[in-house]
C-alpha cells in the first residue's frame, strides 16, 4: 500500500483551518512574503489564541480588511499545504484586496487606495533619495582636508559623477507626476498608457513653465508668455513638476472618466471614443481646476507640516509625531505620510518628517529586541522576536508590531516613548532627509550631509531607550497583564 505523502505543514494547516472557522468562513486566501492573508466572512469565528499556539504561526493581526497570519519565509510552502488540506483555491493578492474591501470603512478604503498608489513608486523614490544624499555630500559638504572646498570643486571626476547622477535624480523627482498618474491608472484597472500621457502633459519641459520657476517669474511674464489664449479666456501653461496632489487628482479624474465611458460607449467603437473622451477632459480639468486646486492644497498641507517641523513648538510636534507614528501604522494612516514627504521635498528640497519615521521603525525594533533578550531561552518566542527585530530594523515593522509589541502592550509603549524622544530631538536639531529612504537603520543613507552625525546619535537614542524601557516595564510589571495571563494559562 503506498505511503501517503504528508506536507511539511499539513498538521499545522489543518489546525489553522479549524481555528480560523473552517472552510465556510474563508472568503479568499492568498499570501505575501511572510504572511497568510485571509478575507473572512466572520472574523469573530477566528480563535486567535488557538491560532497563535500553532507551532509555525508567529503572530496574527487584522489590517486593511484582511486577517493576516505571520508564518515567516516558508509561507509559500505553508500556503500550498493549506490549500491542499482545505480544498480552497487561492486567489491573487489583488483579488484578495478586492474581497477585503467589504470589511473596510470609508477611511480605511482611502488609506488602502493611497497605499496601492504609492507603494509601486517607492523603489524609484528610495533610489532618488540615495542619489540626492550622495550628491549632497559631493557638492554640499566642505571638507577641511580639501581646504574647505567640496569634492566637486577639487575633482573633475567626481564633478562629472555628480552631474551624471542628476539625470536619474531629475527623472525621479521632477517627473514624479508621470509615475503617479501611471500608478493611479494601474490601481484603477484603466489604460496605463493614458495615465503616462496625462502625466507627461503635466510636466512637459517644452510647453509648460517649470513649477520650480513659477515663484521667480513675474505675473506679467506669465500672462504674456505662458498662457493658452482662447480669445475670450486664457489658461496658464504651468507645469506640475514634483507635485503630488495635482497628479493624484488628475489621474483619478482620468480613470473615473474612462470607467464611465466604458459603460455607455458600444464596444465596437470604444477604442476610438473612450481614450479621447477620457484623456482630453481629464487634461482640461487638470490645467484649469484640479491642478491649481491640488497645488494650493498640497502647498497648504506642506506649509502646515513644515510649520510643525520648524515652528516655536517644533519639539512638541516631533514628540507627538514620534509617539503616534507606530499607531498610524496599525490603522493604516501612515500611508498618507508618503504624499506629505513627497510634497515637502518638492516645496523645500527635503523632508523633516521621514527621519522620524525611520527612527520610529528603529524604536519598535529595539523594543522587540529587548523582548527577544528576555526570552532568548524560549525557542519559539526567540524565533518570532528575533526575525521581527531584523525586519523592523530594515524598515518593515508589521511583524514586530503585530507579532510581539502590540500583542503584549508594554514593548509597544516603550517603543512609542523612545520614538517620541527621538522625534523631539529630530525637530529640535532640524534633521532633514533628501527624500523617502529605506526605513530603519539604512535610513541614515538618505539624511542630508550636515545632519548625518546627529541622526546617528538619534539612532542610538531610538535603540537604547526602548530597549531599556521594555526590560524595565517587564521588571516592574507595568502593562504586562496580557503576558502575565498568558504565562499563567501556560502554567496551568
Amino acid at each position: 500500500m503506498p505511503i501517503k505523502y504528508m506536507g511539511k505543514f499539513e498538521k499545522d494547516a489543518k489546525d489553522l483551518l479549524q481555528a480560523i472557522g473552517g472552510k465556510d468562513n474563508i472568503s479568499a486566501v492568498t499570501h505575501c512574503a511572510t504572511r497568510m492573508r485571509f478575507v473572512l466572512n466572520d472574523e469573530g469565528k477566528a480563535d486567535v489564541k488557538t491560532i497563535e499556539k500553532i507551532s509555525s504561526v508567529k503572530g496574527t493581526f487584522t489590517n486593511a480588511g484582511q486577517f493576516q497570519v505571520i508564518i515567516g519565509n516558508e509561507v509559500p510552502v505553508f500556503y500550498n499545504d493549506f490549500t491542499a488540506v482545505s480544498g480552497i483555491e487561492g486567489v491573487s493578492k489583488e483579488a484578495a484586496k478586492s474581497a477585503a474591501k467589504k470589511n473596510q470603512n470609508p477611511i480605511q478604503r482611502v488609506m488602502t487606495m493611497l497605499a496601492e498608489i504609492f507603494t509601486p513608486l517607492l523603489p524609484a523614490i528610495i533610489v532618488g533619495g540615495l542619489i540626492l544624499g550622495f550628491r549632497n555630500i559631493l557638492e554640499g559638504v566642505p571638507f577641511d582636508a580639501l581646504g574647505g572646498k567640496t569634492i566637486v570643486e577639487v575633482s573633475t571626476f567626481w564633478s562629472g559623477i555628480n552631474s551624471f547622477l542628476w539625470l536619474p535624480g531629475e527623472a525621479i523627482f521632477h517627473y514624479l507626476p508621470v509615475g503617479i498618474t501611471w500608478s493611479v491608472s494601474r490601481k484603477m484597472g484603466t489604460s496605463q498608457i493614458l495615465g503616462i500621457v496625462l502625466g507627461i502633459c503635466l510636466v512637459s519641459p517644452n510647453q509648460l513653465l517649470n513649477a520650480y520657476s513659477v515663484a521667480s517669474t513675474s505675473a506679467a511674464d506669465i500672462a504674456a508668455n505662458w498662457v493658452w489664449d482662447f480669445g475670450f479666456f486664457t489658461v496658464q501653461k504651468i507645469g506640475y513638476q514634483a507635485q503630488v496632489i495635482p497628479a493624484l487628482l488628475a489621474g483619478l479624474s482620468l480613470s473615473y472618466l474612462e470607467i464611465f465611458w466604458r459603460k455607455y460607449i458600444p464596444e465596437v467603437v470604444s477604442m476610438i471614443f473612450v481614450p479621447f473622451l477620457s484623456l482630453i477632459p481629464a487634461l482640461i480639468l487638470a490645467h484649469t481646476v484640479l491642478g491649481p486646486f491640488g497645488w494650493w492644497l498640497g502647498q497648504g498641507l506642506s506649509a502646515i507640516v513644515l510649520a510643525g517641523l520648524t515652528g516655536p513648538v517644533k519639539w512638541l510636534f516631533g514628540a507627538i509625531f514620534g509617539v503616534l507614528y507606530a499607531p498610524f501604522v496599525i490603522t493604516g494612516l501612515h500611508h498618507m505620510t508618503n504624499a506629505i514627504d513627497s510634497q515637502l521635498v518638492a516645496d523645500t528640497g527635503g523632508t523633516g518628517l521621514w527621519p522620524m519615521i525611520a527612527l520610529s521603525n528603529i524604536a519598535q525594533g529595539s523594543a522587540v529586541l529587548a523582548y527577544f533578550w528576555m526570552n532568548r531561552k524560549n525557542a519559539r518566542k526567540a524565533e518570532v522576536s528575533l526575525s521581527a527585530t531584523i525586519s523592523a530594523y530594515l524598515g518593515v515593522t508589521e511583524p514586530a508590531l503585530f507579532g510581539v509589541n502590540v500583542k503584549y502592550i508594554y514593548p509597544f509603549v516603550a517603543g512609542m516613548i523612545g520614538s517620541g524622544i527621538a522625534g523631539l530631538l529630530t525637530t529640535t536639531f532640524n534633521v532633514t532627509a533628501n527624500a523617502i529612504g529605506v526605513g530603519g537603520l539604512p535610513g541614515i543613507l538618505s539624511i542630508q550631509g550636515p545632519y548625518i552625525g546627529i541622526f546617528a546619535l538619534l539612532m542610538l537614542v531610538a535603540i537604547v531607550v526602548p530597549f531599556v524601557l521594555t526590560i524595565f516595564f517587564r521588571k516592574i510589571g507595568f502593562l504586562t497583564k496580557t503576558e502575565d495571563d498568558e504565562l499563567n494559562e501556560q502554567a496551568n
Side-chain angles (χ1 to χ4, degrees), residues 226-268:
W226 296 103
V227 296
W228 288 290
D229 189 347
F230 297 97
F232 54 93
F233 72 95
T234 61
V235 176
Q236 291 183 339
K237 297 180 180 180
I238 301 297
Y240 293 94
Q241 283 79 4
Q243 295 295 312
V244 176
I245 297 179
L248 185 62
L249 295 177
L252 288 171
S253 70
L254 172 67
S255 291
Y256 281 118
L257 280 167
E258 183 174 337
I259 292 170
F260 173 81
W261 290 121
R262 279 181 185 172
K263 291 180 180 178
Y264 297 103
I265 294 179
E267 188 174 350
V268 68

CSV table of all heavy atoms in Angstrom, one decimal, residues 226-268:
chain,number,residue,atom,x,y,z
A,226,TRP,N,3.2,82.6,-21.0
A,226,TRP,CA,2.9,81.3,-20.5
A,226,TRP,C,1.4,81.1,-20.3
A,226,TRP,O,0.9,80.7,-19.3
A,226,TRP,CB,3.6,81.0,-19.2
A,226,TRP,CG,5.1,81.0,-19.4
A,226,TRP,CD1,6.0,82.0,-19.0
A,226,TRP,CD2,5.9,80.0,-20.0
A,226,TRP,NE1,7.3,81.6,-19.4
A,226,TRP,CE2,7.3,80.4,-20.0
A,226,TRP,CE3,5.6,78.7,-20.5
A,226,TRP,CZ2,8.3,79.6,-20.5
A,226,TRP,CZ3,6.7,78.0,-21.0
A,226,TRP,CH2,8.0,78.4,-21.0
A,227,VAL,N,0.6,81.3,-21.4
A,227,VAL,CA,-0.8,81.1,-21.4
A,227,VAL,C,-1.2,80.5,-22.7
A,227,VAL,O,-0.6,80.7,-23.7
A,227,VAL,CB,-1.6,82.3,-21.1
A,227,VAL,CG1,-1.3,82.9,-19.7
A,227,VAL,CG2,-1.4,83.4,-22.1
A,228,TRP,N,-2.3,79.7,-22.7
A,228,TRP,CA,-3.1,79.4,-23.9
A,228,TRP,C,-4.2,80.4,-24.0
A,228,TRP,O,-5.0,80.6,-23.1
A,228,TRP,CB,-3.7,78.0,-23.8
A,228,TRP,CG,-2.7,76.8,-23.8
A,228,TRP,CD1,-2.0,76.4,-24.9
A,228,TRP,CD2,-2.3,76.0,-22.8
A,228,TRP,NE1,-1.2,75.3,-24.6
A,228,TRP,CE2,-1.4,75.0,-23.3
A,228,TRP,CE3,-2.7,75.9,-21.4
A,228,TRP,CZ2,-0.9,74.0,-22.5
A,228,TRP,CZ3,-2.2,74.9,-20.6
A,228,TRP,CH2,-1.2,74.0,-21.2
A,229,ASP,N,-4.1,81.1,-25.1
A,229,ASP,CA,-5.1,82.2,-25.3
A,229,ASP,C,-6.2,81.7,-26.3
A,229,ASP,O,-6.0,81.4,-27.4
A,229,ASP,CB,-4.4,83.4,-26.0
A,229,ASP,CG,-5.3,84.6,-26.0
A,229,ASP,OD1,-6.5,84.5,-25.8
A,229,ASP,OD2,-4.8,85.7,-26.3
A,230,PHE,N,-7.4,81.6,-25.7
A,230,PHE,CA,-8.6,81.2,-26.5
A,230,PHE,C,-9.5,82.3,-26.9
A,230,PHE,O,-10.7,82.1,-27.2
A,230,PHE,CB,-9.4,80.1,-25.6
A,230,PHE,CG,-8.6,78.9,-25.3
A,230,PHE,CD1,-8.0,78.7,-24.1
A,230,PHE,CD2,-8.5,77.9,-26.3
A,230,PHE,CE1,-7.2,77.6,-23.8
A,230,PHE,CE2,-7.8,76.7,-26.0
A,230,PHE,CZ,-7.2,76.6,-24.8
A,231,GLY,N,-9.0,83.5,-26.9
A,231,GLY,CA,-9.7,84.7,-27.3
A,231,GLY,C,-10.5,85.4,-26.1
A,231,GLY,O,-10.1,86.4,-25.7
A,232,PHE,N,-11.5,84.7,-25.6
A,232,PHE,CA,-12.2,85.3,-24.5
A,232,PHE,C,-11.8,84.8,-23.1
A,232,PHE,O,-12.4,85.2,-22.1
A,232,PHE,CB,-13.8,85.1,-24.7
A,232,PHE,CG,-14.2,83.7,-24.9
A,232,PHE,CD1,-14.6,82.9,-23.8
A,232,PHE,CD2,-14.2,83.1,-26.2
A,232,PHE,CE1,-15.0,81.6,-24.0
A,232,PHE,CE2,-14.5,81.8,-26.4
A,232,PHE,CZ,-15.0,81.0,-25.3
A,233,PHE,N,-10.9,83.8,-23.1
A,233,PHE,CA,-10.3,83.4,-21.8
A,233,PHE,C,-8.9,82.8,-22.0
A,233,PHE,O,-8.6,82.4,-23.2
A,233,PHE,CB,-11.2,82.5,-21.0
A,233,PHE,CG,-11.3,81.1,-21.6
A,233,PHE,CD1,-10.5,80.1,-21.2
A,233,PHE,CD2,-12.2,80.8,-22.7
A,233,PHE,CE1,-10.6,78.8,-21.7
A,233,PHE,CE2,-12.3,79.6,-23.2
A,233,PHE,CZ,-11.4,78.5,-22.8
A,234,THR,N,-8.1,82.8,-21.0
A,234,THR,CA,-6.8,82.2,-21.1
A,234,THR,C,-6.6,81.1,-20.0
A,234,THR,O,-7.3,81.2,-19.0
A,234,THR,CB,-5.7,83.2,-21.0
A,234,THR,OG1,-5.8,83.8,-19.7
A,234,THR,CG2,-5.8,84.3,-22.1
A,235,VAL,N,-5.7,80.2,-20.2
A,235,VAL,CA,-5.3,79.2,-19.3
A,235,VAL,C,-3.8,79.2,-19.1
A,235,VAL,O,-3.1,79.1,-20.1
A,235,VAL,CB,-5.8,77.8,-19.7
A,235,VAL,CG1,-5.3,76.7,-18.7
A,235,VAL,CG2,-7.3,77.7,-19.8
A,236,GLN,N,-3.3,79.3,-17.9
A,236,GLN,CA,-1.9,79.3,-17.7
A,236,GLN,C,-1.2,78.0,-18.1
A,236,GLN,O,-1.7,76.9,-17.8
A,236,GLN,CB,-1.6,79.7,-16.3
A,236,GLN,CG,-2.0,81.1,-15.9
A,236,GLN,CD,-1.6,81.4,-14.4
A,236,GLN,OE1,-1.4,80.5,-13.6
A,236,GLN,NE2,-1.5,82.7,-14.2
A,237,LYS,N,0.0,78.1,-18.7
A,237,LYS,CA,0.8,77.0,-19.1
A,237,LYS,C,1.8,76.7,-17.9
A,237,LYS,O,3.0,76.9,-18.0
A,237,LYS,CB,1.6,77.2,-20.3
A,237,LYS,CG,0.7,77.4,-21.6
A,237,LYS,CD,1.7,77.7,-22.8
A,237,LYS,CE,0.9,77.9,-24.1
A,237,LYS,NZ,1.8,78.1,-25.2
A,238,ILE,N,1.2,76.2,-16.8
A,238,ILE,CA,2.1,75.9,-15.6
A,238,ILE,C,2.3,74.4,-15.5
A,238,ILE,O,1.4,73.6,-15.6
A,238,ILE,CB,1.4,76.5,-14.4
A,238,ILE,CG1,1.1,78.0,-14.5
A,238,ILE,CG2,2.2,76.2,-13.1
A,238,ILE,CD1,2.4,78.8,-14.6
A,239,GLY,N,3.6,74.1,-15.3
A,239,GLY,CA,3.9,72.7,-15.1
A,239,GLY,C,3.7,72.3,-13.6
A,239,GLY,O,3.7,73.1,-12.7
A,240,TYR,N,3.7,71.0,-13.4
A,240,TYR,CA,3.4,70.5,-12.0
A,240,TYR,C,4.6,69.5,-11.6
A,240,TYR,O,4.3,68.5,-11.0
A,240,TYR,CB,2.1,69.8,-11.9
A,240,TYR,CG,0.9,70.8,-12.1
A,240,TYR,CD1,0.4,71.0,-13.3
A,240,TYR,CD2,0.5,71.5,-11.0
A,240,TYR,CE1,-0.7,71.9,-13.5
A,240,TYR,CE2,-0.5,72.5,-11.2
A,240,TYR,CZ,-1.1,72.7,-12.4
A,240,TYR,OH,-2.1,73.6,-12.5
A,241,GLN,N,5.8,69.9,-12.0
A,241,GLN,CA,7.0,69.1,-11.6
A,241,GLN,C,7.0,68.8,-10.1
A,241,GLN,O,6.8,69.7,-9.3
A,241,GLN,CB,8.3,69.8,-12.0
A,241,GLN,CG,8.6,69.7,-13.5
A,241,GLN,CD,7.8,70.7,-14.3
A,241,GLN,OE1,7.1,71.5,-13.8
A,241,GLN,NE2,8.0,70.7,-15.6
A,242,ALA,N,7.1,67.5,-9.8
A,242,ALA,CA,7.2,67.1,-8.4
A,242,ALA,C,6.0,67.2,-7.5
A,242,ALA,O,6.0,66.9,-6.4
A,242,ALA,CB,8.4,67.8,-7.7
A,243,GLN,N,4.9,67.7,-8.1
A,243,GLN,CA,3.7,68.0,-7.4
A,243,GLN,C,2.9,66.6,-7.2
A,243,GLN,O,2.7,65.9,-8.2
A,243,GLN,CB,2.8,69.0,-8.1
A,243,GLN,CG,3.4,70.4,-8.1
A,243,GLN,CD,3.6,71.0,-6.7
A,243,GLN,OE1,2.7,70.9,-5.9
A,243,GLN,NE2,4.8,71.5,-6.4
A,244,VAL,N,2.5,66.3,-6.0
A,244,VAL,CA,1.8,65.1,-5.7
A,244,VAL,C,0.3,65.1,-5.9
A,244,VAL,O,-0.3,64.4,-6.7
A,244,VAL,CB,2.2,64.6,-4.3
A,244,VAL,CG1,1.4,63.3,-4.0
A,244,VAL,CG2,3.7,64.4,-4.2
A,245,ILE,N,-0.3,66.0,-5.2
A,245,ILE,CA,-1.8,66.1,-5.2
A,245,ILE,C,-2.4,66.4,-6.5
A,245,ILE,O,-3.4,65.8,-7.0
A,245,ILE,CB,-2.3,67.0,-4.1
A,245,ILE,CG1,-1.9,66.5,-2.7
A,245,ILE,CG2,-3.8,67.2,-4.1
A,245,ILE,CD1,-2.3,67.3,-1.5
A,246,PRO,N,-1.9,67.4,-7.3
A,246,PRO,CA,-2.4,67.7,-8.6
A,246,PRO,C,-2.4,66.4,-9.5
A,246,PRO,O,-3.3,66.1,-10.2
A,246,PRO,CB,-1.5,68.8,-9.2
A,246,PRO,CG,-1.0,69.5,-8.0
A,246,PRO,CD,-0.8,68.4,-7.0
A,247,ALA,N,-1.3,65.7,-9.5
A,247,ALA,CA,-1.1,64.5,-10.3
A,247,ALA,C,-2.1,63.4,-9.8
A,247,ALA,O,-2.7,62.7,-10.6
A,247,ALA,CB,0.3,63.9,-10.2
A,248,LEU,N,-2.3,63.3,-8.5
A,248,LEU,CA,-3.2,62.3,-7.9
A,248,LEU,C,-4.6,62.6,-8.4
A,248,LEU,O,-5.4,61.7,-8.8
A,248,LEU,CB,-3.1,62.3,-6.4
A,248,LEU,CG,-3.9,61.3,-5.6
A,248,LEU,CD1,-3.5,59.9,-6.0
A,248,LEU,CD2,-3.8,61.5,-4.1
A,249,LEU,N,-5.1,63.9,-8.3
A,249,LEU,CA,-6.4,64.2,-8.7
A,249,LEU,C,-6.6,64.1,-10.2
A,249,LEU,O,-7.7,63.6,-10.6
A,249,LEU,CB,-6.7,65.7,-8.3
A,249,LEU,CG,-6.7,66.0,-6.7
A,249,LEU,CD1,-6.9,67.5,-6.5
A,249,LEU,CD2,-7.8,65.2,-6.1
A,250,ALA,N,-5.6,64.5,-11.0
A,250,ALA,CA,-5.7,64.3,-12.4
A,250,ALA,C,-5.8,62.9,-12.8
A,250,ALA,O,-6.7,62.5,-13.7
A,250,ALA,CB,-4.5,65.0,-13.1
A,251,GLY,N,-5.0,62.0,-12.2
A,251,GLY,CA,-5.0,60.6,-12.5
A,251,GLY,C,-6.4,60.0,-12.2
A,251,GLY,O,-6.9,59.1,-12.9
A,252,LEU,N,-6.9,60.3,-11.0
A,252,LEU,CA,-8.2,59.8,-10.6
A,252,LEU,C,-9.3,60.3,-11.6
A,252,LEU,O,-10.2,59.5,-11.9
A,252,LEU,CB,-8.6,60.2,-9.2
A,252,LEU,CG,-7.7,59.5,-8.1
A,252,LEU,CD1,-8.0,60.2,-6.8
A,252,LEU,CD2,-8.1,58.0,-8.0
A,253,SER,N,-9.3,61.5,-12.0
A,253,SER,CA,-10.3,62.0,-13.0
A,253,SER,C,-10.2,61.2,-14.3
A,253,SER,O,-11.3,60.9,-14.8
A,253,SER,CB,-10.1,63.5,-13.2
A,253,SER,OG,-9.0,63.8,-14.0
A,254,LEU,N,-9.0,61.0,-14.7
A,254,LEU,CA,-8.9,60.2,-16.0
A,254,LEU,C,-9.5,58.8,-15.8
A,254,LEU,O,-10.2,58.3,-16.7
A,254,LEU,CB,-7.4,60.1,-16.3
A,254,LEU,CG,-7.0,59.2,-17.5
A,254,LEU,CD1,-7.6,59.7,-18.8
A,254,LEU,CD2,-5.5,59.0,-17.6
A,255,SER,N,-9.1,58.1,-14.7
A,255,SER,CA,-9.6,56.8,-14.5
A,255,SER,C,-11.1,56.7,-14.4
A,255,SER,O,-11.8,55.8,-15.0
A,255,SER,CB,-8.9,56.2,-13.3
A,255,SER,OG,-7.6,56.0,-13.5
A,256,TYR,N,-11.7,57.6,-13.6
A,256,TYR,CA,-13.2,57.6,-13.5
A,256,TYR,C,-13.9,57.9,-14.8
A,256,TYR,O,-15.0,57.4,-15.1
A,256,TYR,CB,-13.6,58.5,-12.3
A,256,TYR,CG,-13.3,57.9,-11.0
A,256,TYR,CD1,-12.5,58.5,-10.1
A,256,TYR,CD2,-14.0,56.8,-10.6
A,256,TYR,CE1,-12.3,58.0,-8.8
A,256,TYR,CE2,-13.8,56.2,-9.3
A,256,TYR,CZ,-12.9,56.8,-8.5
A,256,TYR,OH,-12.7,56.2,-7.2
A,257,LEU,N,-13.3,58.8,-15.6
A,257,LEU,CA,-13.9,59.1,-16.9
A,257,LEU,C,-13.9,57.9,-17.8
A,257,LEU,O,-14.8,57.6,-18.4
A,257,LEU,CB,-13.1,60.3,-17.5
A,257,LEU,CG,-13.5,61.7,-17.0
A,257,LEU,CD1,-12.5,62.7,-17.5
A,257,LEU,CD2,-14.9,62.1,-17.5
A,258,GLU,N,-12.7,57.2,-17.8
A,258,GLU,CA,-12.6,56.0,-18.6
A,258,GLU,C,-13.6,54.9,-18.2
A,258,GLU,O,-14.3,54.3,-19.0
A,258,GLU,CB,-11.2,55.5,-18.6
A,258,GLU,CG,-11.0,54.3,-19.5
A,258,GLU,CD,-9.5,53.8,-19.5
A,258,GLU,OE1,-8.6,54.6,-19.3
A,258,GLU,OE2,-9.3,52.6,-19.9
A,259,ILE,N,-13.7,54.7,-16.9
A,259,ILE,CA,-14.7,53.7,-16.3
A,259,ILE,C,-16.1,54.1,-16.8
A,259,ILE,O,-16.9,53.3,-17.1
A,259,ILE,CB,-14.6,53.6,-14.8
A,259,ILE,CG1,-13.2,53.0,-14.4
A,259,ILE,CG2,-15.7,52.8,-14.2
A,259,ILE,CD1,-12.9,53.1,-13.0
A,260,PHE,N,-16.4,55.4,-16.7
A,260,PHE,CA,-17.8,55.9,-17.0
A,260,PHE,C,-18.0,55.6,-18.5
A,260,PHE,O,-19.1,55.1,-18.9
A,260,PHE,CB,-17.9,57.4,-16.7
A,260,PHE,CG,-19.1,58.0,-17.2
A,260,PHE,CD1,-20.3,57.9,-16.5
A,260,PHE,CD2,-19.1,58.7,-18.4
A,260,PHE,CE1,-21.5,58.5,-17.0
A,260,PHE,CE2,-20.3,59.3,-18.9
A,260,PHE,CZ,-21.5,59.2,-18.1
A,261,TRP,N,-17.1,56.0,-19.4
A,261,TRP,CA,-17.4,55.9,-20.8
A,261,TRP,C,-17.4,54.4,-21.3
A,261,TRP,O,-18.1,54.1,-22.2
A,261,TRP,CB,-16.3,56.7,-21.6
A,261,TRP,CG,-16.4,58.1,-21.5
A,261,TRP,CD1,-15.5,59.0,-21.1
A,261,TRP,CD2,-17.6,58.9,-21.9
A,261,TRP,NE1,-16.0,60.3,-21.1
A,261,TRP,CE2,-17.3,60.3,-21.6
A,261,TRP,CE3,-18.8,58.6,-22.4
A,261,TRP,CZ2,-18.1,61.3,-21.9
A,261,TRP,CZ3,-19.7,59.7,-22.7
A,261,TRP,CH2,-19.4,61.0,-22.4
A,262,ARG,N,-16.7,53.6,-20.6
A,262,ARG,CA,-16.7,52.2,-20.9
A,262,ARG,C,-18.1,51.6,-20.8
A,262,ARG,O,-18.5,50.7,-21.5
A,262,ARG,CB,-15.8,51.4,-20.0
A,262,ARG,CG,-14.3,51.4,-20.5
A,262,ARG,CD,-13.5,50.6,-19.5
A,262,ARG,NE,-12.1,50.6,-19.8
A,262,ARG,CZ,-11.2,50.1,-18.9
A,262,ARG,NH1,-11.6,49.5,-17.8
A,262,ARG,NH2,-9.9,50.2,-19.2
A,263,LYS,N,-18.9,52.1,-19.8
A,263,LYS,CA,-20.2,51.6,-19.5
A,263,LYS,C,-21.2,52.0,-20.6
A,263,LYS,O,-22.2,51.2,-20.9
A,263,LYS,CB,-20.7,52.2,-18.2
A,263,LYS,CG,-20.0,51.6,-17.0
A,263,LYS,CD,-20.6,52.2,-15.7
A,263,LYS,CE,-19.9,51.7,-14.5
A,263,LYS,NZ,-20.5,52.4,-13.2
A,264,TYR,N,-21.0,53.1,-21.3
A,264,TYR,CA,-22.0,53.7,-22.2
A,264,TYR,C,-21.7,53.7,-23.7
A,264,TYR,O,-22.5,53.8,-24.5
A,264,TYR,CB,-22.4,55.1,-21.7
A,264,TYR,CG,-23.0,55.1,-20.4
A,264,TYR,CD1,-22.2,55.5,-19.3
A,264,TYR,CD2,-24.3,54.7,-20.1
A,264,TYR,CE1,-22.8,55.5,-18.0
A,264,TYR,CE2,-24.9,54.7,-18.9
A,264,TYR,CZ,-24.1,55.1,-17.8
A,264,TYR,OH,-24.6,55.2,-16.5
A,265,ILE,N,-20.4,53.5,-24.0
A,265,ILE,CA,-20.0,53.5,-25.4
A,265,ILE,C,-19.9,52.1,-25.9
A,265,ILE,O,-19.2,51.2,-25.3
A,265,ILE,CB,-18.6,54.2,-25.6
A,265,ILE,CG1,-18.8,55.7,-25.2
A,265,ILE,CG2,-18.1,54.1,-27.0
A,265,ILE,CD1,-17.5,56.5,-25.3
A,266,PRO,N,-20.5,51.8,-27.0
A,266,PRO,CA,-20.5,50.4,-27.6
A,266,PRO,C,-19.1,49.9,-27.8
A,266,PRO,O,-18.2,50.7,-28.2
A,266,PRO,CB,-21.3,50.5,-28.9
A,266,PRO,CG,-22.1,51.7,-28.7
A,266,PRO,CD,-21.4,52.7,-27.8
A,267,GLU,N,-18.8,48.7,-27.5
A,267,GLU,CA,-17.5,48.1,-27.6
A,267,GLU,C,-16.9,48.3,-29.0
A,267,GLU,O,-15.7,48.4,-29.2
A,267,GLU,CB,-17.5,46.6,-27.2
A,267,GLU,CG,-16.1,46.0,-27.1
A,267,GLU,CD,-16.2,44.6,-26.5
A,267,GLU,OE1,-17.3,44.2,-26.1
A,267,GLU,OE2,-15.1,44.0,-26.5
A,268,VAL,N,-17.7,48.2,-30.0
A,268,VAL,CA,-17.2,48.3,-31.4
A,268,VAL,C,-16.5,49.6,-31.7
A,268,VAL,O,-15.7,49.6,-32.6
A,268,VAL,CB,-18.4,48.0,-32.4
A,268,VAL,CG1,-19.4,49.2,-32.4
A,268,VAL,CG2,-17.9,47.8,-33.8
